[in-house]
Amino acid sequence: MSINEVFMPALSSTMTEGKIVSWVKSPGDKVEKGETVVVVESDKADMDVESFYEGFLAHIIVPAGETAPVGAAIAYVAETEAEIEAAIAKAGSGFAAASETPAPEPVAVASLEAPATASQNGSNHKEGRLVVSPRARKLAKEYRVDLNNLTGSGPYGRIVAEDVEAAAGKTSKPKISISIPTSTPVPAPAPAPVPAPVPTPAPAPAPTPAVTSAVSGEVVPLTTLQNAVVRNMAASLAVPTFHVGYTITVDELNKLYKQIKSKGVTMTALLAKAVAVTLQKHPLLNASYSAQGIVYHGDINIAVAVAMDDGGLITPVLQKADQIDIYSLSRNWKYLVDKARAKQLQPEEYSTGTFTLSNLGMFGVDTFDAILPPGQGSILAIAASRPEVVATNDGLFGVRQQMKVNITCDHRIIYGAHAAAFLKDLATLIETNAQSLTM
């Protein structure tokens, strides 16, 4: 008899437990080796988890909506149909609790990553396999629709339930797309939409992260992502840190931004590029602490904090930001943000940062301190730029756009003089040589 346990996988280095989003397979269903059986919400994203075994899904230990620690058994897979009843009896006997805790086995995760040049509704094939939502897969089985003949309309070509229903002719109402439209729904070509006039002259407020509505006295449980933030922040409090502030004149940077904004360049990418180039001269600011000493990283990977709509935050990483041109860097950033919002980032896209940026300038913030992320030596807090009257080099007064930045550093390896020297060089680059960021 061969009954195998399916374990909760560790989808990231910081993950301690996972939440079952949905089971793609139902008890009694045939399972192929390498086939997706369950969708798990890690601390950063929803991931398709594949089976290492071929057989039949005999029993689900952890149902959808519940959580389990990494390495815990979440289901049984029987080798033959005849062994399904034995697996159910095994679950009922409390085997999982009585047996020794097995060592977590590596679990293959179906990648949802798409090439940087792919459109949102691109190919739904990835390395010869389909990218299908759990509900779509279930409907395809019910309606007997061949998924290989469908083109996905979901994010990055993912086949969703509406695609299957349309193919089966089961749609009773028009299909509604929830993806961000790239054009107006009118088939005739039209110029860019003109914003409707607002009823009051007051400026529109900066976008704010969505907050779950709650009645007075209600306790709203933290999401998996929010719990991950709690663990990371608790770990950060054990690190001795210090802060150094600096005021940078950004007139030249703003001028450059206006010149190349139409080519898709974002201010976030410009700031990340400026920081990455400056880090080339200050490798200690790109390093991190370990019990063995200072870890100097070979690449400069800039992580940028992004607030999630459903709570928490995530830090997509611009890999080798110092080596990539500003136009490609901006495209990469847009691609990463889209994946982050769709909870489709892969671990290497959010856990490999060597230096972090936290930008609250779009909210008009004057200055703030950022908390150091675990495993990094520095994080730079960026506030809004404002026009201020300053003394010029010729002894007169002038109006300049001023931006305050504040760096938080791990004092075990970085000292005040190191941070100050980095900020001085960053300011010199932005104030006098911003055009070099396009080279």
Side-chain angles (χ1 to χ4, degrees), residues 14-273:
T14 60
M15 178 176 169
T16 58
E17 65 178 18
K19 179 180 179 180
I20 304 297
V21 177
S22 63
W23 283 95
V24 178
K25 294 289 186 178
S26 301
D29 287 352
K30 183 75 169 65
V31 175
E32 301 291 341
K33 185 176 181 180
E35 186 177 13
T36 298
V37 293
V38 63
V39 179
V40 172
E41 179 186 33
S42 72
D43 52 5
K44 301 293 184 181
D46 293 349
M47 309 288 278
D48 292 351
V49 178
E50 301 172 345
S51 172
F52 269 113
Y53 313 109
E54 181 178 347
F56 296 85
L57 183 62
H59 180 72
I60 292 174
I61 301 173
V62 182
E66 295 189 7
T67 60
V70 169
I74 58 176
Y76 291 131
V77 174
E79 188 172 326
T80 65
E81 283 188 277
E83 295 171 332
I84 292 179
E85 291 299 326
I88 296 174
K90 184 178 182 179
S93 66
F95 173 86
S99 63
E100 295 182 1
T101 303
E105 298 184 26
V107 178
V109 178
S111 174
L112 298 177
E113 182 180 359
T117 57
S119 66
Q120 186 174 9
N121 294 329
S123 172
N124 58 297
H125 289 73
K126 177 68 176 175
E127 297 178 355
R129 294 185 288 107
L130 292 173
V131 181
V132 187
S133 74
R135 175 167 170 74
R137 197 180 294 276
K138 183 176 181 180
L139 288 176
K141 182 178 180 181
E142 178 182 343
Y143 296 152
R144 298 184 179 180
V145 172
D146 187 355
L147 294 172
N148 292 288
N149 296 330
L150 299 185
T151 299
S153 64
Y156 308 103
R158 187 183 182 95
I159 295 177
V160 294
E162 289 83 358
D163 300 324
V164 178
E165 291 175 338
K170 299 292 184 178
T171 52
S172 57
K173 57 184 178 180
K175 178 181 175 181
I176 302 175
S177 173
I178 61 172
S179 61
I180 300 175
T182 56
S183 63
T184 58
V186 180
V194 178
V198 294
T200 63
T208 56
V211 178
T212 303
S213 59
V215 298
S216 177
E218 180 183 3
V219 177
V220 179
L222 296 177
T223 65
T224 305
L225 181 56
Q226 288 171 322
N227 276 316
V229 173
V230 170
R231 291 192 298 270
N232 286 342
M233 295 304 98
S236 295
L237 291 178
V239 178
T241 60
F242 67 95
H243 309 279
V244 178
Y246 210 100
T247 301
I248 302 175
T249 301
V250 293
D251 292 276
E252 290 298 319
L253 186 67
N254 288 342
K255 180 180 177 181
L256 172 63
Y257 176 58
K258 291 178 181 178
Q259 292 173 352
I260 59 180
K261 179 181 179 181
S262 61
K263 298 180 181 180
V265 174
T266 65
M267 181 57 77
T268 296
L270 275 174
L271 292 170
K273 180 72 172 179

Side-chain angles (χ1 to χ4, degrees), residues 162-381:
E162 289 83 358
D163 300 324
V164 178
E165 291 175 338
K170 299 292 184 178
T171 52
S172 57
K173 57 184 178 180
K175 178 181 175 181
I176 302 175
S177 173
I178 61 172
S179 61
I180 300 175
T182 56
S183 63
T184 58
V186 180
V194 178
V198 294
T200 63
T208 56
V211 178
T212 303
S213 59
V215 298
S216 177
E218 180 183 3
V219 177
V220 179
L222 296 177
T223 65
T224 305
L225 181 56
Q226 288 171 322
N227 276 316
V229 173
V230 170
R231 291 192 298 270
N232 286 342
M233 295 304 98
S236 295
L237 291 178
V239 178
T241 60
F242 67 95
H243 309 279
V244 178
Y246 210 100
T247 301
I248 302 175
T249 301
V250 293
D251 292 276
E252 290 298 319
L253 186 67
N254 288 342
K255 180 180 177 181
L256 172 63
Y257 176 58
K258 291 178 181 178
Q259 292 173 352
I260 59 180
K261 179 181 179 181
S262 61
K263 298 180 181 180
V265 174
T266 65
M267 181 57 77
T268 296
L270 275 174
L271 292 170
K273 180 72 172 179
V275 168
V277 170
T278 307
L279 285 173
Q280 291 176 333
K281 298 170 59 178
H282 300 271
L284 183 61
L285 274 293
N286 192 55
S288 59
Y289 169 84
S290 76
Q292 291 72 38
I294 302 174
V295 180
Y296 286 92
H297 302 288
D299 296 327
I300 297 176
N301 299 334
I302 305 298
V304 184
V306 174
M308 299 295 286
D309 292 335
D310 58 351
L313 58 86
I314 195 168
T315 53
V317 178
L318 290 166
Q319 308 279 349
K320 301 180 179 180
D322 58 321
Q323 302 178 27
I324 299 177
D325 67 87
I326 190 62
Y327 305 102
S328 299
L329 202 65
S330 294
R331 288 192 295 270
N332 291 349
W333 177 242
K334 183 181 184 304
Y335 168 66
L336 288 170
V337 170
D338 287 345
K339 290 190 71 175
R341 299 296 188 195
K343 301 184 71 175
Q344 293 179 346
L345 285 176
Q346 299 300 298
E348 65 274 10
E349 293 174 323
Y350 62 77
S351 62
T352 55
T354 58
F355 188 104
T356 296
L357 298 184
S358 181
N359 184 7
L360 293 180
M362 69 287 294
F363 296 102
V365 172
D366 292 320
T367 183
F368 70 102
D369 294 334
I371 298 178
L372 185 69
Q376 294 184 27
S378 305
I379 179 172
L380 186 67

